[in-house]
Each structure stands twice: as structure tokens, then as C-alpha cells.
Amino acid sequence: MLATACFDKLRAFQAVILVLAALSLVGCASQRTPEEIAHVQETNDPYEPFNRSVFAFNDALDVVILKPLAVWYRFLVPIPEVRDAITRVLDNASLPWTAANEVFQGEFGRARITTTRFLINTTLGIGGVFDWATRWGFPHHEEDFGLTLARTFGMREGPYLMLPLLGPSNVRDTGGRIVDGVGDPVGWILPFPGSIVRGAVRGIDTRQRNIENIDELRRDSVDFYATLRSVWRQRRESQVRRGEAPPSDIPRVTSDMGRFAPSVGAAPEAAPAAPASARPTAAPTARPAARPQASRQAPQQQQGAAAADLAPVVQTARAPWLLPRDAAPQAAPPAAPRATPEIRWFFDPARPQGQGQ
Amino acid sequence: MNRREALAAIAAVFTVALASPAALAQGRVGAGGAVPNAETFVSTLAQRGIADLTGRSTTESERSRRFRAMLVDNFDVPTIGRFALGRYWRVATEQERAEYMNLFTDMLVHSYASRFAEYQGEQVRVTGSRTTAEGDIIVASDVARPNQPAPNKVDWYLRRDGSSFKIVDVRVEGVSMAITQRDEFASIIQRGGGQIAALLQSMRTRAAPR
């Protein structure tokens, strides 16, 4: 039974690996404008067209199957406490693999907490229905092999990937998921259909808990795919840091930004109709000299500058996620140059000639 | 569990939003570089947000007016706005910049003010603060919402502004509002053929009352 289950999984993973290999070839072949390269650098999404089509598939699946299932689940299990208990059971079942990852990371103290938690909640907590451990000082940890790769091996995220059914990921965490699938002890104990059911319940439970949030996000974002990508990447980075707040990315702007200070009194209704004239301080004609080089007037020069800026980045970045964290070119502006206004994302992009979209 | 994390993040971002409601602040002084003033600033603001903005008793336009006042007074909107336009700030004309800034403020007011109507029973608890090497002050807080088993971790990024502070960013479960906004704007511009006009057009529809 174990061998069959494992073989089934491996076959599925083989397909994923083949797709990844094909993708890497596609990525090498394409020719991009400096503007497109800058965009790819910012979004970490060189396979965006492919990812978007997978996302469209996932999205359709969500509308047709996943969300209806989630709504039904909520209807069939109407008591929130019962649903929370189901979530706790699923969380509890993830703990052995969490503890293993903590051992891989050399975090023996954390592994001890997780192991104790698992023992308490599996026995006294009846498989995780009741959470005594948190009360007794053994909090829940979330770990997976992607985090182990990031922390222990210093592996960078690699290009963003939208996985069918599974949603947002990247090259590192896709590899991590494969190891998660093979390595999870609970997956070894459960027969293969049991693992499938476990995964399905987990998916429906998660979707159920986020019905309102996803509806709201979809309503409020112009480009749902882009927003999800941004949020997911930030969240994942935060997990790698164990939730520690990083220094702000927002530069200290020395120029006279005060002229853009919004006025308090303006009614929101008036704004779209008469944006500039309603606020004399921000009138465009007030400071024509504040913008010495109008980029519109020198598009060629702009393009040249941008291309020169990008050249080293493009040349060095063959597979930056395989380099150690320190050696790899920084995608985000490093902390040191904050004093100077010249920060990576502030450089002038070339005005694009033709878009491939 | 990747999807789950993403969804949790979305949950956090779009429910808690800017100045989150309900405050019962215990300005505990953290270790090393803690700034009690900044902690008080955040808990007072959150308390005011709850008192003035939540609930269905106020009218929509009054709520918008109050939110705008709080936003302008307590957030460094020009700096956030400039950051959110990313590298396109440099290529924008002065006229585009001015219109962008106006729309940016209107958009924030429009998208966040209405959300406070739906809030009820939230609690913001400031848990500490620290000063970064760059001189930013990060105030950490837990925001508990009803019907949510665990509180969300919300970090407030403050800069000194005279004797008070201005907020430059809010991170909910590690997700920065400013970065999320910047990435979405970049995507709109990119898909609009690299033209800032595409973003302005999109913002005009979003800033307009629905």
C-alpha cells in the first residue's frame, strides 16, 4: 500500500517537473524590451502569460466547484465551533512533518514544542479536536520544506509559478511541496485515498474560511492576478522571516513632496470632476520648473539609460535562486542606499514601443 | 499549505485595512529602541478610528469626510503615493503627478471608508515598538476580530513629523499595504502599454462614488 501510494505521487510530481523544465526553456528563448525586463524584475514573474492562463483555469474551477463546495460545507456544518474543530484536527495532522522540518532547520527547541503539542493534542485533545497544548504553552507552528530550503540552504524563491489547483507558488516552494508530499509521515500512514480526502477537506475548509475575504479582494482589485501575486510573495517572505517586521521599503523623499499634500476639506465627490483646479497647491502649472528633464522630450536617452542600468542585472541573473542569499543580486532595494534618492525602482523605464500583451 | 497562507494574508489585508478599529491599548514598553510615544500614537489613532468610523449610525459622506481627515493628519500620503507609483513617478509629467496624487487620496478614502461601516467589535492591542537602523519606528499590534480564532499581527511604520508621527506603511501579517498598492499599479500600467494614463483612467473609475 505504501509503495503504491508513493508511486502515484511520484508520477504526479514527474509531470510537474516536466512542465517546469519546459518553462525554463521558454524563458531563455524570449527577447524582451528593457521595460519588460524591468517589469519581470519587479514581479519575479517571467512566465506571466503562462501563469495567467493557469490562473484563469484555477479561477474558473473556483467559481464552478471550489466556492460552491465551500458554501455547501458552511451550510452543512453551520456551527463555527465545529468547523474550527475540524480545522484544528487538520492542523494537528500537519505537526509531525512540521517537527521534522524544524529538526532539518536545526531548531530543536521548536521541534520539541511541536512534538509535545502533537502528543498532547492527539491524546488528550482527541486527535486535535481540543487544543490543550496552546493553553499549556505549546503554540502551533507552521513549517514546510520550502521554508527549510529557504532558511537552511538559503535558497531564493525563484520565478513565481501559478500551479494548477494548488495556486500561487515559486520554483523553490514547488520543490518544497514535492518533498512535503513524499515526506509527510501522516501521508505514509494514511492510504492514498485517505490522503486525497485529507487534501480535499483542507482545501474546502480553507476556502470556506476565506469566502468573504476573497470576494472583497476580487471586488477591490483591478488586476486580481497581480494583487494575489504581490500578497502571496510578501506573505511567504514574511513566513521565511518568521513574521519579523523588516525595515521599510519606503524611501525618505527629500524633494518638495509637500506640494502634493492632500487637502482635508475636499469632498470626495468633487475630485474626479475637477482634480487639479480644486486644489491650488497641486495645480500643475504652479511649478513647471520642478521637473527639469521631461522624459517625454528625450525618449531615446531614457531608453538608453534604462538599458544600461539593466544590462548587468540581466547578464548576471541566470538562475539567481540557486545562489546563496547573500551572493545573489538583490531584487529589492537594499537598506544602505536609502540615504540617496537613486533607488532601483526609481530609475526611468523606457517608454515602450510595442507591447507584446 | 501555500494557498492557505495566501488566503490568510488576503484575509488580513482586506479586512483590517488602514487604521483598524477598536482599541484597548496597553502601551507596554518593549526592549531596545522602544518608543512609548509612538505606541500611544497608534493606539489613540486606532481608538479614534473605532469611535468615529465604525458602525452604521453615521452617513456615508460623513464617514468619508472623517476618514479623509484622519488619513491626511496621520498618514504621509504624498510619500506613500510616490512610492506606490514606483519607477513611473520619474517619467510622469507634473500634471500627471498632481492628478495621480489627488486620485490616490480619493481612492484610499473611497475604498477604505466604507469598510469601517462593516466593522464591529474589533480590538487593537499594541504589543511593542522598535526603532530601525534607518530611524523608522515600527509599532507592533495584535488586531482581534470577532469570529476569528487568532488575532492578526499588524505592524505600523512611523516616521517622526515634528512633535508627532506620520504613518508611512502598515503591514498586516507581513503584507505591506504600500507594496501591494505599488505592485497593483505597476501591473495596471504595464498592461495598459506602459502608459500612466491607463492607471489614471482606472483610478478615476475607482475613486468615483459607486
Side-chain angles (χ1 to χ4, degrees):
Chain A
M1 184 59 91
L2 277 181
T4 326
C6 202
F7 181 70
D8 283 350
K9 280 182 185 172
L10 284 176
R11 260 212 308 225
F13 297 145
Q14 231 168 14
V16 173
I17 290 167
L18 279 176
V19 170
L20 291 183
L23 277 173
S24 62
L25 292 175
V26 174
C28 295
S30 59
Q31 198 77 36
R32 296 176 198 271
T33 66
E35 163 69 17
E36 284 165 343
I37 292 167
H39 182 70
V40 166
Q41 288 281 322
E42 283 169 348
T43 56
N44 188 39
D45 193 3
Y47 314 126
E48 183 165 344
F50 178 82
N51 283 339
R52 276 188 188 271
S53 56
V54 175
F55 180 69
F57 169 77
N58 285 352
D59 212 27
L61 215 63
D62 181 69
V63 171
V64 177
I65 298 175
L66 192 53
K67 190 183 171 189
L69 279 177
V71 173
W72 266 103
Y73 172 65
R74 190 180 279 188
F75 179 74
L76 291 173
V77 189
I79 304 166
E81 285 74 18
V82 175
R83 295 197 299 260
D84 287 348
I86 292 171
T87 306
R88 282 197 296 271
V89 170
L90 292 166
D91 281 346
N92 188 61
S94 73
L95 291 179
W97 183 237
T98 298
N101 274 292
E102 284 169 337
V103 169
F104 298 155
Q105 294 169 29
E107 299 273 1
F108 298 108
R110 289 177 68 89
R112 189 182 56 78
I113 291 171
T114 299
T115 308
T116 313
R117 178 186 176 84
F118 180 70
L119 292 176
I120 293 171
N121 280 355
T122 304
T123 55
L124 295 176
I126 315 172
V129 174
F130 303 102
D131 178 8
W132 302 109
T134 299
R135 230 174 282 180
W136 297 342
F138 302 100
H140 183 72
H141 298 162
E142 296 240 341
E143 292 289 347
D144 57 63
F145 200 72
L147 295 176
T148 300
L149 287 174
R151 297 206 191 104
T152 309
F153 302 99
M155 195 182 272
R156 291 162 60 80
E157 55 186 331
Y160 180 77
L161 292 176
M162 179 61 70
L163 301 179
L165 295 172
L166 303 174
S169 191
N170 56 42
V171 170
R172 178 192 67 205
D173 293 329
T174 303
R177 265 180 175 281
I178 294 172
V179 179
D180 288 340
V182 177
D184 185 357
V186 177
W188 286 87
I189 293 162
L190 283 177
F192 191 60
S195 290
I196 295 285
V197 170
R198 178 186 172 209
V201 173
R202 173 116 255 178
I204 294 166
D205 174 56
T206 305
R207 186 65 182 86
Q208 181 274 129
R209 276 182 288 128
N210 289 284
I211 289 175
E212 288 77 16
N213 297 320
I214 292 175
D215 287 351
E216 212 169 280
L217 176 61
R218 191 189 294 275
R219 191 187 68 204
D220 287 343
S221 58
V222 172
D223 187 344
F224 189 32
Y225 172 87
T227 307
L228 186 64
R229 176 176 62 200
S230 173
V231 167
W232 185 84
R233 287 185 64 205
Q234 292 182 65
R235 178 81 187 109
R236 194 68 184 156
E237 270 306 301
S238 168
Q239 277 189 304
V240 171
R241 293 189 308 264
R242 286 228 169 81
E244 197 201 322
S248 170
D249 282 359
I250 298 174
R252 292 174 179 279
V253 181
T254 48
S255 65
D256 51 345
M257 292 301 289
R259 71 187 187 279
F260 293 113
S263 57
V264 181
E269 287 78 12
S277 56
R279 298 173 182 81
T281 49
T285 47
R287 287 172 184 271
R291 219 171 151 277
Q293 319 123 320
S295 58
R296 289 264 168 78
Q297 288 156 11
Q300 300 300 19
Q301 205 182 331
Q302 293 286 338
Q303 168 129 19
D309 268 353
L310 289 165
V313 176
V314 177
Q315 279 161 12
T316 52
R318 279 248 60 86
W321 62 92
L322 294 176
L323 299 174
R325 192 169 288 272
D326 303 328
Q330 289 289 315
R338 187 148 311 136
T340 67
E342 279 307 315
I343 290 181
R344 169 76 63 76
W345 49 262
F346 264 164
F347 67 56
D348 292 345
R351 289 277 175 179
Q353 272 100 36
Q355 287 298 311
Q357 204 68 27
Chain B
M1 304 319 103
N2 290 346
R3 188 174 177 88
R4 185 178 167 206
E5 303 310 335
L7 301 180
I10 297 165
V13 172
F14 290 91
T15 51
V16 180
L18 281 176
S20 247
L24 221 165
Q26 299 160 349
R28 237 188 294 147
V29 181
V35 186
N37 281 351
E39 294 179 20
T40 313
F41 174 84
V42 168
S43 52
T44 310
L45 180 64
Q47 213 153 9
R48 255 191 69 202
I50 260 281
D52 293 359
L53 298 172
T54 64
R56 300 188 174 277
S57 49
T58 43
T59 64
E60 207 52 46
S61 63
E62 173 62 13
R63 198 195 316 279
S64 292
R65 199 191 60 74
R66 287 181 191 170
F67 181 85
R68 178 180 289 266
M70 284 182 79
L71 182 73
V72 171
D73 286 348
N74 299 291
F75 288 74
D76 190 348
V77 177
T79 298
I80 301 168
R82 176 174 175 162
F83 173 80
L85 197 55
R87 59 199 164 85
Y88 296 101
W89 177 264
R90 287 270 293 272
V91 292
T93 63
E94 189 71 1
Q95 192 170 350
E96 283 172 333
R97 288 176 181 180
E99 189 187 0
Y100 164 80
M101 279 297 184
N102 288 331
L103 287 171
F104 183 67
T105 315
D106 293 341
M107 203 191 78
L108 290 179
V109 172
H110 183 73
S111 36
Y112 289 118
S114 59
R115 234 164 260 181
F116 282 87
E118 292 153 27
Y119 290 155
Q120 207 161 27
E122 278 78 2
Q123 297 216 326
V124 178
R125 193 171 61 86
V126 172
T127 54
S129 62
R130 69 184 173 92
T131 310
T132 68
E134 293 79 23
D136 290 347
I137 300 146
I138 303 175
V139 177
S141 69
D142 282 338
V143 178
R145 306 198 71 209
N147 307 325
Q148 245 183 22
N152 285 312
K153 193 173 172 308
V154 179
D155 292 310
W156 309 74
Y157 286 69
L158 273 57
R159 282 181 191 159
R160 287 186 192 283
D161 178 55
S163 61
S164 185
F165 302 93
K166 283 248 196 274
I167 297 168
V168 291
D169 198 5
V170 181
R171 277 187 191 254
V172 182
E173 295 288 340
V175 179
S176 151
M177 308 307 304
I179 294 173
T180 307
Q181 195 66 78
R182 180 197 66 188
D183 290 352
E184 198 201 7
F185 285 173
S187 164
I188 295 168
I189 294 173
Q190 174 74 13
R191 288 169 77 72
Q195 299 298 318
I196 293 162
L199 174 65
L200 295 177
Q201 184 50 47
S202 153
M203 290 174 83
R204 272 182 220 118
T205 39
R206 270 208 285 182
R210 263 173 282 196

